[in-house]
Amino acid sequence: MNQSTLADGRSLYSDIIEVQSAREEVYGNGHFIWRQREVIDGEAQEKLIEYWARDNRYFRIDTQSLSNGEASGEIRRIIVRPEGFVKINARKVDDPGAIYDIGHPDEGVAKVKGQYFVSMANRIGTVQVQTYIRQWINKQPGLRNLKFNRDDAGHVIGSFSRRIDDGTKQYNVVMTAEDYRVQSWEMQFQAEDGQTTGTNQASITYGENQDEFPTKTVDTVVSNTDYSSEFECRLLEHQLEPAPLEVFSMGELGMPRSNPWFRRLVLLGSGIFLLFLYFGSKWLKRRRAEK
């Protein structure tokens, strides 16, 4: 039996896509808190990331910098609802804040699910393993020599390379054989001129019950250009019950805060725009279905 074929005849690639897609859906309900620390060329930054989701249709992410372990500075917030998404700057958690960007709900969902901490057990860097497999199956240019096979130690080992504008990236990934959770990955970069090289390595730790959610991810980058970085992300807590609807309330959003009439006009305009996006998308889907 070919190592890339399962005992029941299904393709290993198809199985990875199916299992990882199901894992991603787990993030459609719940509340997660991560703490992130990043050191770039010796300078450290820390962030607290709080995530809420409900019914795979409502999402919210709050990101705030930390100073000496305490919240510091404004909160960057994104709220996604079936009507659309908004990006907000807020002074604190209970401050409704001020809108600085709005858009279509599909775009908002893509922004949320594209975050590296969502479904981290599926990812190489910021890209999900299943995405690379889909690209390979669809013969998209730039991807080379993709292979995933089971080894004798009970792992699934993957390797492939990507051609980019200024060089080549070679990827290697190790996943569990049962549910394709990423345990470690490595990316080696070779510049077109042959002079610049770099290595990006990551290891992922899971809880004692080996659940779907990584409890710790450590990611390091070294290169021959003296650039270096260390990244660590820890899961502080999570609950899988649907988050309450009031978490996704847009409240009295607006800008600037000093002028209530201007704020009401911005709110009205934002509401009309979100409704236009919502009903416009439904109309387009109906027109396409009729063709």
Side-chain angles (χ1 to χ4, degrees):
M1 183 182 68
N2 189 303
Q3 285 186 302
S4 61
T5 303
L6 303 179
D8 61 4
R10 288 178 298 143
S11 162
L12 175 61
Y13 295 173
S14 299
D15 202 45
I16 292 172
I17 290 173
E18 181 180 340
V19 171
Q20 290 199 344
S21 296
R23 179 178 297 115
E24 186 179 0
E25 293 300 310
V26 176
Y27 287 82
N29 285 293
H31 176 221
F32 294 74
I33 300 177
W34 291 274
R35 184 169 182 155
Q36 168 192 310
R37 185 175 188 271
E38 188 169 20
V39 181
I40 300 178
D41 291 336
E43 184 175 342
Q45 294 182 336
E46 286 191 290
K47 293 180 181 178
L48 193 70
I49 301 164
E50 196 161 5
Y51 168 97
W52 297 263
R54 181 184 178 93
D55 300 336
N56 214 25
R57 300 167 66 229
Y58 296 84
F59 300 93
R60 171 176 161 180
I61 299 172
D62 282 14
T63 304
Q64 188 170 28
S65 296
L66 299 176
S67 177
N68 297 319
E70 300 294 329
S72 172
E74 285 201 325
I75 294 173
R76 286 295 183 99
R77 177 178 298 152
I78 179 170
I79 297 176
V80 181
R81 297 170 56 93
E83 305 92 331
F85 82 87
V86 293
K87 287 184 175 181
I88 299 162
N89 282 331
R91 295 192 185 102
K92 52 187 180 179
V93 173
D94 58 355
D95 175 20
I99 296 172
Y100 68 91
D101 191 18
I102 59 178
H104 191 278
D106 290 347
E107 184 184 354
V109 171
K111 288 179 182 294
V112 167
K113 293 192 174 182
Q115 298 289 335
Y116 68 90
F117 47 80
V118 175
S119 206
M120 198 182 295
N122 293 349
R123 297 183 185 275
I124 302 172
T126 59
V127 181
Q128 294 194 6
V129 173
Q130 60 169 308
T131 299
Y132 287 124
I133 293 175
R134 291 179 194 273
Q135 290 175 356
W136 179 258
I137 291 171
N138 294 328
K139 295 181 169 53
Q140 292 190 13
L143 204 59
R144 301 175 177 177
N145 305 319
L146 184 141
K147 295 179 182 178
F148 281 87
N149 292 298
R150 296 178 182 273
D151 69 4
D152 295 333
H155 301 109
V156 171
I157 309 297
S159 65
F160 58 93
S161 62
R162 283 180 61 224
R163 189 84 173 88
I164 56 176
D165 290 341
D166 56 349
T168 302
K169 292 182 176 181
Q170 173 66 43
Y171 296 83
N172 298 287
V173 59
V174 178
M175 300 186 293
T176 59
E178 303 82 16
D179 50 10
Y180 313 118
R181 287 179 296 118
V182 174
Q183 295 180 305
S184 64
W185 56 265
E186 178 185 77
M187 185 277 292
Q188 295 181 339
F189 172 71
Q190 176 74 53
E192 185 72 31
D193 60 11
Q195 301 298 312
T196 303
T197 60
T199 302
N200 187 184
Q201 294 179 315
S203 61
I204 300 176
T205 304
Y206 295 85
E208 292 181 2
N209 59 350
Q210 294 293 294
D211 61 16
E212 304 283 358
F213 311 109
T215 54
K216 179 182 176 182
T217 299
V218 178
D219 181 339
T220 60
V221 176
V222 294
S223 75
N224 65 352
T225 63
D226 294 330
Y227 172 87
S228 66
S229 70
E230 298 176 14
F231 172 87
E232 180 178 296
C233 187
R234 289 179 179 269
L235 178 63
L236 302 183
E237 62 179 82
H238 72 277
Q239 298 88 35
L240 295 182
E241 297 78 15
L245 273 174
E246 54 265 29
V247 168
F248 312 99
S249 171
M250 295 180 184
E252 294 186 6
L253 300 172
M255 53 185 297
R257 296 180 175 91
S258 59
N259 189 327
W261 279 107
F262 184 80
R263 182 163 64 183
R264 288 168 190 164
L265 287 173
V266 172
L267 268 174
L268 178 62
S270 300
I272 292 172
F273 181 70
L274 291 175
L275 285 172
F276 170 77
L277 287 173
Y278 179 67
F279 288 107
S281 64
K282 283 185 171 292
W283 179 79
L284 282 173
K285 288 177 181 177
R286 189 164 57 249
R287 285 294 303 273
R288 289 170 181 158
E290 292 172 354
K291 289 182 179 180

